[in-house]
Amino acid sequence: MSATRMMILGVVQWMQPVHGYDVRRELLSWSADKWANVQPGSIYHGLRKLSEEGLLREVATEQVGARPARTTYEITDKGTDEFHALLRSNWWNLAGAPDPFMAAFSFLPAMPREEAVAALRNRAMQLSAGNKQLSAAMGSEWAKQKPVYVSWMWELAMDRAEAEIRWCERVARLIEAETPYFPAQ
C-alpha cells in the first residue's frame, strides 16, 4: 500500500488540480498495475482515504449530464511531506516484491520433476516474451514522448527478467539431471 500511496500522491502533486479519473488513467498508462502493484480499483479508494487523512484536498466536485460526479484533488502540505517521506524510503531501502512463485518454489519437492522443469521453462518463455514486448515499446513513438528515465525503468525490468530467465534455465537443467533436493544424511 505504501507504493500505491506514494504513486497516487506523486501523480496528484505532478498533475494538480486533477480528477481521480486522470490519476487512474495516468497510472495505468505507466502499467503501474504490473510493476508497482497499483490496482486500478484501489486508486479511487486511495484518493478518498488520502483525502480523509488530510494528505489530499478535494477542490471541487462536478457532474456533467448523466456522467458520475468527478472530484478534483490537490495535495496538501502534509501530503507533500508524506510523499517525500515515502519517496525517500522507497529509494533508500531495499524491499523485495512478494512473488507467489517464490512461495510455490519453496514446495519444489511436491512437484513432479518433469512438471517443475516444464513450469520453469514456461516461466522463462513468459519472461522472454515480456522483454520482447518492452523492447518493442521502447522503440515506439509513445515511448519517445516519455521522459528518458521511463526507458531506464524498463531496462531495469528487462535486466531483472534476463537474470531470472538464466536462473530458470539453470535450475531446470539441475532438476533434469536429478540433482537431489535435500542434503545427504
Side-chain angles (χ1 to χ4, degrees):
M1 178 57 183
S2 73
T4 300
R5 285 173 70 91
M6 182 191 69
M7 300 289 288
I8 292 172
L9 288 168
V11 168
V12 170
Q13 182 177 33
W14 186 18
M15 298 177 72
Q16 67 183 331
V18 63
H19 294 288
Y21 173 79
D22 293 325
V23 172
R24 183 179 186 274
R25 188 183 63 203
E26 185 68 20
L27 289 171
L28 291 178
S29 79
W30 299 356
S31 298
D33 54 322
K34 294 176 182 65
W35 54 265
N37 199 27
V38 175
Q39 298 308 308
S42 70
I43 295 170
Y44 292 113
H45 171 73
L47 287 163
R48 283 190 299 277
K49 185 165 174 36
L50 292 167
S51 186
E52 289 168 8
E53 293 175 22
L55 302 173
L56 295 177
R57 174 179 35 258
E58 294 182 9
V59 178
T61 300
E62 55 193 45
Q63 188 164 1
V64 177
R67 288 181 160 178
R70 291 178 123 190
T71 302
T72 302
Y73 295 92
E74 288 180 345
I75 196 165
T76 63
D77 290 342
K78 182 180 174 185
T80 298
D81 292 344
E82 174 74 2
F83 169 69
H84 286 286
L86 291 168
L87 179 67
R88 286 186 170 81
S89 174
N90 288 321
W91 264 87
W92 288 95
N93 296 307
L94 185 63
D99 183 351
F101 171 75
M102 295 299 281
F105 191 79
S106 69
F107 293 100
L108 174 63
M111 287 282 282
R113 283 180 178 265
E114 186 176 292
E115 186 178 353
V117 167
L120 285 167
R121 294 216 164 106
N122 179 64
R123 186 173 179 88
M125 201 168 54
Q126 288 179 40
L127 289 164
S128 181
N131 273 0
K132 288 176 184 163
Q133 187 177 20
L134 275 177
S135 183
M138 286 175 70
S140 72
E141 284 303 312
W142 177 86
K144 291 175 186 167
Q145 305 301 318
K146 296 295 178 187
V148 69
Y149 62 83
V150 171
S151 63
W152 296 343
M153 288 173 38
W154 290 351
E155 288 170 1
L156 174 59
M158 292 169 64
D159 287 350
R160 286 178 174 170
E162 284 299 325
E164 188 169 343
I165 290 166
R166 287 190 303 274
W167 178 87
C168 286
E169 291 297 338
R170 182 175 58 80
V171 172
R173 285 190 303 274
L174 291 168
I175 294 170
E176 281 179 323
E178 300 200 19
T179 301
Y181 292 148
F182 300 103
Q185 308 259 329

